[in-house]
């Protein structure tokens, strides 16, 4: 998936089909509404990113078998 990182204004939000936030705890969390604009939290691209992030995290954790899985 090609990625462009840039700041966007509220006036640009209607151009987007989906939105998410990311971080250590939420991983990739779909956004349903912001600034009065609504997004589909089941957006297929956001869901694909969520699965990919989860797969990448799982592979990373598996590379440390000495840590054990609790």
């Amino acid at each position: 998936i090609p990625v462009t990182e840039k700041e966007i204004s509220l006036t640009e939000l209607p151009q987007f089909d989906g939105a998410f936030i990311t971080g250590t705890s939420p991983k990739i969390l779909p956004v349903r509404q912001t600034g009065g604009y609504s997004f589909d939290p089941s957006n297929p691209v956001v869901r694909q990113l969520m699965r990919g992030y989860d797969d990448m995290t799982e592979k990373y954790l598996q590379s440390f078998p000495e840590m054990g899985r609790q």
Side-chain angles (χ1 to χ4, degrees), residues 4-69:
T4 302
E5 185 176 342
K6 70 174 196 162
E7 289 185 32
I8 59 169
S9 68
L10 284 176
T11 59
E12 292 176 282
L13 286 180
Q15 300 173 33
F16 295 92
D17 296 323
F20 64 89
I21 60 172
T22 187
T24 304
S25 293
K27 300 189 282 183
I28 294 179
L29 182 66
V31 170
R32 180 180 297 272
Q33 187 175 35
T34 185
Y37 297 97
S38 296
F39 300 99
D40 178 5
S42 298
N43 177 281
V45 175
V46 174
R47 293 294 173 176
Q48 181 181 359
L49 290 170
M50 291 170 71
R51 284 189 303 276
Y53 186 91
D54 287 343
D55 290 346
M56 185 178 67
T57 302
E58 185 62 33
K59 286 177 187 170
Y60 175 78
L61 292 174
Q62 289 175 2
S63 71
F64 296 98
E66 67 279 3
M67 300 292 286
R69 294 299 300 241

